[in-house]
Amino acid sequence: MSTTQSERLRGLLEPLVSAKELDLEEIEVSRAGRRRVLRVVVDSEDGVELDTCAELSRVIADTLDATDAMGEGEYVLEVSSPGADRPLTEHRHYVRATGRLAKLTLADGGELVARVLGVDDEGLDLEVPGVKGRKPTARRIAFDEIAGARVEIEFNRKDKKEEEA
């Protein structure tokens, strides 16, 4: 997608997404056979419900139909929330990952798997799991030390409510 089209679409869609109290995470236009696919990824502090995606999809479709932002020709519109394994790239992504296990690729080439305990403007407070029965340790990482990060999916972690019961 050209930068001009991307900027135009973002300018057109950002207010529609914000009106639903959502964050516009990504806009992507790709080819699927003869048609183009416009993917709009949205998120919020509380996640995104399917009904909200459907409602936003109708609003976006109506707006795009009333403009020439997608040009001539057919396209398919997909509105969704980000997957669980999406990269953490924005400050708000780290905030939303608080309490979750994350895999960090460090700027020095190392990797670290740790639980995000807190986030501020400079970096992350982490809990690094203990190895072979050792207790977890606290660690502080500055954002400029992080080359990439993703939330790790945990299948066997008990929910805090379950632990309290």
Side-chain angles (χ1 to χ4, degrees), residues 109-133:
E111 286 188 348
L112 175 66
V113 176
R115 190 162 312 281
V116 179
L117 298 179
V119 181
D120 60 28
D121 290 340
E122 285 81 41
L124 308 174
D125 292 316
L126 303 170
E127 179 184 75
V128 181
V131 179
K132 294 184 181 177

Side-chain angles (χ1 to χ4, degrees), residues 2-165:
S2 72
T3 304
T4 307
Q5 184 183 28
S6 175
E7 290 168 358
R8 186 167 181 209
L9 284 170
R10 184 166 286 280
L12 189 64
L13 302 182
E14 190 102 50
L16 303 175
V17 172
S18 295
K20 300 284 184 196
E21 298 181 359
L22 300 170
D23 296 318
L24 180 58
E25 295 292 341
E26 184 180 342
I27 298 172
E28 177 190 340
V29 177
S30 60
R31 283 248 171 239
R34 289 183 279 176
R35 291 188 217 174
R36 291 169 296 150
V37 177
L38 171 59
R39 287 185 184 86
V40 179
V41 180
V42 297
D43 202 4
S44 78
E45 292 294 325
D46 301 319
V48 183
E49 294 183 3
L50 186 59
D51 290 343
T52 304
C53 284
E55 187 178 314
L56 183 59
S57 180
R58 286 188 290 276
V59 170
I60 290 173
D62 291 345
T63 302
L64 292 174
D65 289 347
T67 69
D68 66 346
M70 287 300 292
E72 296 296 318
E74 295 180 24
Y75 68 91
V76 175
L77 173 62
E78 295 178 1
V79 177
S80 65
S81 61
D85 65 342
R86 70 120 181 256
L88 305 176
T89 57
E90 303 283 336
H91 185 271
R92 68 179 178 264
H93 298 163
Y94 289 98
V95 171
R96 290 178 188 153
T98 300
R100 310 270 314 264
L101 200 61
K103 182 176 185 178
L104 307 171
T105 303
L106 305 177
D108 67 7
E111 286 188 348
L112 175 66
V113 176
R115 190 162 312 281
V116 179
L117 298 179
V119 181
D120 60 28
D121 290 340
E122 285 81 41
L124 308 174
D125 292 316
L126 303 170
E127 179 184 75
V128 181
V131 179
K132 294 184 181 177
R134 293 189 179 134
K135 291 185 178 184
T137 57
R139 182 161 176 193
R140 173 81 180 167
I141 298 281
F143 283 119
D144 63 359
E145 296 178 65
I146 301 171
R150 290 185 185 276
V151 168
E152 289 283 286
I153 306 300
E154 296 180 84
F155 293 106
N156 59 354
R157 180 168 186 231
K158 290 184 179 179
D159 193 350
K160 286 184 180 183
K161 292 178 184 173
E162 290 177 27
E163 291 174 1
E164 292 171 1

